[in-house]
Amino acid sequence: MKLAFIGDIVGRPGRVMIKEHLKKLRREHAIDFVIANYENASHGFGLTVKNAHELLESGIDCMSGGNHTWDKKDILPLLESLPLLRPHNYPEGVPGSGCRIFDVAGEKLAVLNIMGHYGMPYVDNAFRCARDTVAQLKAEGVKHIFLDFHAEASSEKRGMMMLLQGQVSGIMGTHTHVGSDDLQIAHGTAYVTDIGLSGCRDNVIGMDAKVPLERFLTGMAGRFEVPEKCRKILQIAIMNLEEGRCTEAFKLKIFDDGRTIRTDAWREG
Ligand code: FE2
């Protein structure tokens, strides 16, 4: 099974890159299933109904969320009707789910979305939730499990990798928007601390630099905006999965000026 993962899609620039490149990438690399993180896809915060449909029609099969899942309230009914996840470790009773099982190329693939703790809303223990959910999925005979771990701290992400390596097909970090250079296959688990945003690459985490710089210089709050014009990037990991293990993984950084940079995963174990 060929699986692809795209991290935080930030605003229109991110959506434009998906629309322009994803279907071609699917054909070129024979990708069976694409997961992407939607939580910043609409104006940088949350996801509108219109953008949810637009992204799913652009070649994404399932979308995961994070702390901004709830920013656009019209998404609530879509958590049930569309293949959209929110972090699984929100307390019981919160709408939606953070775990779904899909039939892909004749096999079962579970997509799991968990949120970390540092700098995040109060949620149930991320590590216990991940460990117990993975154990349950394996008991149900689900072979392929992919986790989008939406967290700020690289230590939490490394910890999750150490907890689940060898048990799941992939763990990829989102939320920081800044890609980390540690793509690896550890005991059959594809891992990267953060895959990085898809959207503007020449600002501050995909947002117009003016407001964050004002905040840093004065301490005064302001509302982040996605720039109208910017230099764009699409960041995507492509994995080959066999018998629940990742056998090959690489990341593509696709720039809107025509450049592509490929990074292959290193192997551990
Ligand atoms: Fe986030």
Side-chain angles (χ1 to χ4, degrees):
M1 175 192 306
K2 275 274 187 78
L3 178 65
F5 182 60
I6 298 165
D8 305 68
I9 301 164
V10 184
R12 185 193 298 274
R15 302 198 309 272
V16 165
M17 288 300 278
I18 302 280
K19 207 169 192 174
E20 285 181 2
H21 295 277
L22 187 54
K23 284 189 177 165
K24 190 163 162 267
L25 284 167
R26 284 191 79 128
R27 282 195 303 274
E28 278 175 7
H29 298 278
I31 297 166
D32 296 303
F33 197 84
V34 177
I35 305 162
N37 191 297
Y38 65 77
E39 74 143 20
N40 305 113
S42 298
H43 319 109
F45 300 93
L47 180 67
T48 62
V49 175
K50 182 170 165 267
N51 292 161
H53 287 290
E54 176 194 317
L55 286 167
L56 291 168
E57 281 158 20
S58 301
I60 295 170
D61 297 294
C62 168
M63 291 196 280
S64 46
N67 50 308
H68 291 297
T69 284
W70 320 107
D71 289 3
K72 304 269 189 297
K73 297 299 177 210
D74 51 352
I75 202 66
L76 287 176
L78 299 187
L79 288 170
E80 303 296 335
S81 60
L82 293 180
L84 303 180
L85 305 177
R86 48 83 172 157
H88 203 47
N89 52 327
Y90 271 103
E92 227 178 287
V94 169
S97 168
C99 180
R100 283 211 195 181
I101 299 169
F102 298 87
D103 286 312
V104 182
E107 295 182 294
K108 295 250 183 280
L109 166 73
V111 183
L112 182 56
N113 184 196
I114 303 267
M115 188 160 67
H117 295 285
Y118 182 80
M120 291 299 202
Y122 290 104
V123 286
D124 296 342
N125 187 295
F127 298 88
R128 286 173 181 272
C129 178
R131 181 193 64 187
D132 297 348
T133 308
V134 166
Q136 195 184 328
L137 288 166
K138 289 183 96 69
E140 289 169 17
V142 177
K143 220 178 266 174
H144 304 284
I145 303 169
F146 181 86
L147 168 61
D148 170 0
F149 187 29
H150 195 78
E152 176 73 30
S154 50
S155 56
E156 289 183 356
K157 290 170 174 172
R158 285 289 307 172
M160 189 63 86
M161 197 277 275
M162 298 305 289
L163 182 71
L164 295 178
Q165 64 179 345
Q167 297 184 57
V168 299
S169 312
I171 303 170
M172 297 206 170
T174 54
H175 178 72
T176 71
H177 295 196
V178 178
S180 61
D181 185 23
D182 59 344
L183 179 64
Q184 58 201 266
I185 301 172
H187 302 278
T189 301
Y191 170 81
V192 68
T193 299
D194 205 301
I195 185 74
L197 67 81
S198 288
C200 294
R201 69 176 195 269
D202 57 351
N203 283 275
V204 176
I205 63 167
M207 301 292 182
D208 194 320
K210 269 198 288 295
V211 174
L213 283 180
E214 190 69 12
R215 274 198 200 180
F216 296 142
L217 288 165
T218 67
M220 292 165 71
R223 192 180 155 72
F224 283 16
E225 300 279 354
V226 177
E228 298 259 318
K229 282 187 182 169
C230 66
R231 293 176 182 167
K232 300 189 276 294
I233 191 169
L234 169 64
Q235 307 195 63
I236 183 169
I238 300 173
M239 294 153 270
N240 188 58
L241 309 186
E242 285 173 23
E243 297 300 311
R245 296 172 70 83
C246 179
T247 57
E248 189 198 1
F250 59 93
K251 175 179 167 180
L252 297 177
K253 294 197 285 276
I254 296 162
F255 297 76
D256 62 344
D257 54 20
R259 288 174 294 156
T260 295
I261 297 174
R262 173 176 166 144
T263 311
D264 287 285
W266 78 69
R267 283 170 195 280
E268 297 283 355

